[in-house]
Amino acid sequence: MLIPVVLATLATQVLGALWYSPLLFCRPWAKHAFPNTNYQDVGKDGMTFPMAMTALSYTMVCAILYYIIGEVFKTSTIFEATKVALLFATVTAFIQIPNYIHEKRSLILYAINIGYQVTAIVLAVILMQVLSSIIPDVFTRSVFSLQ
């Protein structure tokens, strides 16, 4: 379980670095997340804690998804795993809509953030599915087995 989860978490962090970079969505994200701040000034107060919490959160998400695809749905193909990932990502996307509406946050910000989360979840699940077919997983089978 450890190697696929760690590598999937790293993949989500690399994706996030690209997603929120000036190459993709940095400017519109910063404009809507921090309306009165120049996008170049975002993060000057320190990003260590937010980045650490993001990595920790995605480690937990990847561990849960690894269990779900392996033990609950017992997926054996990338297609099956992707369907589970999209189901999980859809719930994630819909559950956050009320927060954005009540907090009067921009729907553009919602689209950027949810776009990242959906993409990260699908990427992580596909990577974990591929790795779990390559790497024997004695640990997970012994820990999560109910027999």
Side-chain angles (χ1 to χ4, degrees):
M1 174 171 102
L2 186 60
I3 292 172
V5 169
V6 168
L7 292 178
T9 300
L10 288 173
T12 66
Q13 300 309 290
V14 170
L15 175 66
L18 178 62
W19 196 270
Y20 293 102
S21 76
L23 293 173
L24 291 178
F25 300 109
C26 177
R27 287 179 183 89
W29 174 79
K31 176 183 174 185
H32 292 276
F34 307 98
N36 299 320
T37 306
N38 185 326
Y39 83 93
Q40 295 169 327
D41 294 332
V42 173
K44 285 191 175 177
D45 294 335
M47 292 297 286
T48 304
F49 181 73
M51 294 301 292
M53 292 309 298
T54 300
L56 178 63
S57 296
Y58 271 93
T59 301
M60 296 306 299
V61 166
C62 288
I64 292 165
L65 284 169
Y66 187 79
Y67 173 75
I68 288 170
I69 65 172
E71 297 297 319
V72 175
F73 287 96
K74 299 188 185 311
T75 61
S76 59
T77 67
I78 292 173
F79 180 71
E80 290 172 351
T82 302
K83 288 193 308 187
V84 173
L86 290 171
L87 176 66
F88 189 84
T90 301
V91 170
T92 300
F94 280 112
I95 203 83
Q96 293 186 41
I97 290 173
N99 295 337
Y100 278 80
I101 292 171
H102 288 295
E103 295 167 3
K104 295 182 169 96
R105 291 163 62 190
S106 163
L107 291 180
I108 293 171
L109 180 63
Y110 170 81
I112 292 168
N113 289 337
I114 291 301
Y116 164 69
Q117 291 172 3
V118 167
T119 305
I121 288 168
V122 172
L123 172 67
V125 165
I126 289 172
L127 184 58
M128 290 187 294
Q129 182 69 44
V130 168
L131 290 172
S132 68
S133 68
I134 298 170
I135 302 169
D137 200 0
V138 177
F139 174 75
T140 300
R141 288 191 195 112
S142 65
V143 170
F144 293 120
S145 177
L146 298 176
Q147 299 173 357

